[in-house]
Amino acid sequence: MAGHLVAEHHGNYRFVTLVSLFAYRRRHWTPEQAERYNATLDDATALDQAAEHLAG
């Protein structure tokens, strides 16, 4: 899959750009894969909000 994701190099690290990630998802994911990802993201957001609420 060389060339599908754009990455920026900073020192010893490589970061995939968000625009590149969304473009990859749009080109290669089926609607079912996208829905599973969105459901997982919603769950993670709910957990973050619960943790913030508990932390006060």
Side-chain angles (χ1 to χ4, degrees):
M1 294 201 173
H4 287 272
L5 296 173
V6 176
E8 298 176 358
H9 296 265
H10 295 281
N12 293 330
Y13 300 95
R14 186 178 306 171
F15 299 91
V16 174
T17 65
L18 190 57
V19 170
S20 175
L21 186 60
F22 285 142
Y24 176 86
R25 185 176 80 167
R26 198 172 42 254
R27 282 191 308 265
H28 297 284
W29 282 17
T30 64
E32 293 79 18
Q33 287 173 310
E35 184 57 37
R36 282 197 308 266
Y37 171 81
N38 290 337
T40 300
L41 188 59
D42 289 345
D43 289 346
T45 301
L47 287 172
D48 286 344
Q49 290 173 348
E52 287 176 11
H53 178 72
L54 291 173

